[in-house]
Amino acid sequence: RSSDLIDEAIEQVGGHGRFQVLLFLFTGAFWIVTAMQTMAMPFMHTTPELSCPDDGSTACDPKNICAAAQHDFVHPDTLAAEFDLACGRQWLLGLIGSVFFAGFMVGAGLIGLVSDRSGRKKSFYICVAMNILSGFGSSVAPGFWVYAFCRFFTGVAAGGLSLVTYVLCTEMFGLVARNWAGSLFNTSWAVGAMLICPMAYQLTSWRWLSFAATAPALFLCFFSPLIPESPRWLLLQHDEQAAAAVLCRVARINNKEWKNVVLIQPAMDTHKASLFELFRYSTVRKVTLIMAFIWFTTGFVYYGLTM
């Protein structure tokens, strides 16, 4: 099988060497940025605190400020204050979160297909470009709907990066180290969630916080060309020469001897699988439904509490 063949080759060039550590840190750094952009929402979308205008007017009742013709915001640097998202417009703050996660859902599904058809590296580039453009676009948005538009595509990029960075990283590890590499990779999200807290404490302006959460991605993108395409995906595309070239590079960085084994892609079943394959067989259907329920409830509770 092709999976056995490429796993054997990866172990030969070093299944958990210097190359894998560098790749783990680099792809994990993008996951940290994604976490910061996501977990910045509770700080940027805070519930507005209102006060009566300090002009000596008696037309404003502090107990019912929304009924007054005018009101002031206690914190003028917030998103709600700049776009006047208070009283009857406060529901728009919650809408932004829904728009972001709608984009996340689209990105997780769409980028996964692009990754399988066009390669992990190309889909990674698409997500990084979208992440940077939409992230900086959010920080300079002139109006609410432009901001919501940018946040949608930030969500698309976040959903895509959550898949492609994980796959790019773990597919380069050998069988021995792949399990713990996949588990440790998720700690990148926790690091990003922790970093955004002191950043939000120092940057009280929502625009500067959005900018700061995106800026590391701009720095990291200059090193993106150093990431190789997954040799596993290359082999599945019958590009044995390119897969061998990637493995030679990994061997050189890991100081391993590459015996230049000829990679031969065995004949593959031409049957095209679809989403319905997950529900055709009882065992697979049961596992799919259980995993879907676990992920839904975990995400629902996690983001419900943190947002």
Side-chain angles (χ1 to χ4, degrees), residues 237-254:
Q237 304 305 309
H238 302 276
D239 195 348
E240 294 84 3
Q241 185 174 358
V246 172
L247 292 172
C248 284
R249 179 184 173 189
V250 174
R252 184 172 63 254
I253 296 175
N254 286 344

Side-chain angles (χ1 to χ4, degrees), residues 36-90:
M36 290 194 298
Q37 291 176 326
T38 303
M39 303 310 295
M41 286 194 290
F43 302 103
M44 296 192 299
H45 305 165
T46 54
T47 302
E49 296 184 46
L50 303 178
S51 63
C52 291
D54 190 16
D55 55 2
S57 174
T58 58
C60 178
D61 181 4
K63 296 182 179 180
N64 189 17
I65 297 178
C66 287
Q70 293 182 340
H71 56 258
D72 289 339
F73 287 86
V74 176
H75 305 289
D77 289 337
T78 60
L79 180 82
E82 186 165 340
F83 296 146
D84 194 21
L85 304 180
C87 300
R89 288 169 52 86
Q90 187 172 329

Side-chain angles (χ1 to χ4, degrees), residues 131-147:
N131 180 281
I132 293 173
L133 292 175
S134 61
F136 285 133
S138 298
S139 63
V140 298
F144 171 80
W145 293 110
V146 175
Y147 175 75

Side-chain angles (χ1 to χ4, degrees), residues 93-105:
L93 285 172
L95 178 65
I96 299 175
S98 299
V99 167
F100 175 86
F101 284 108
F104 198 103
M105 181 176 64

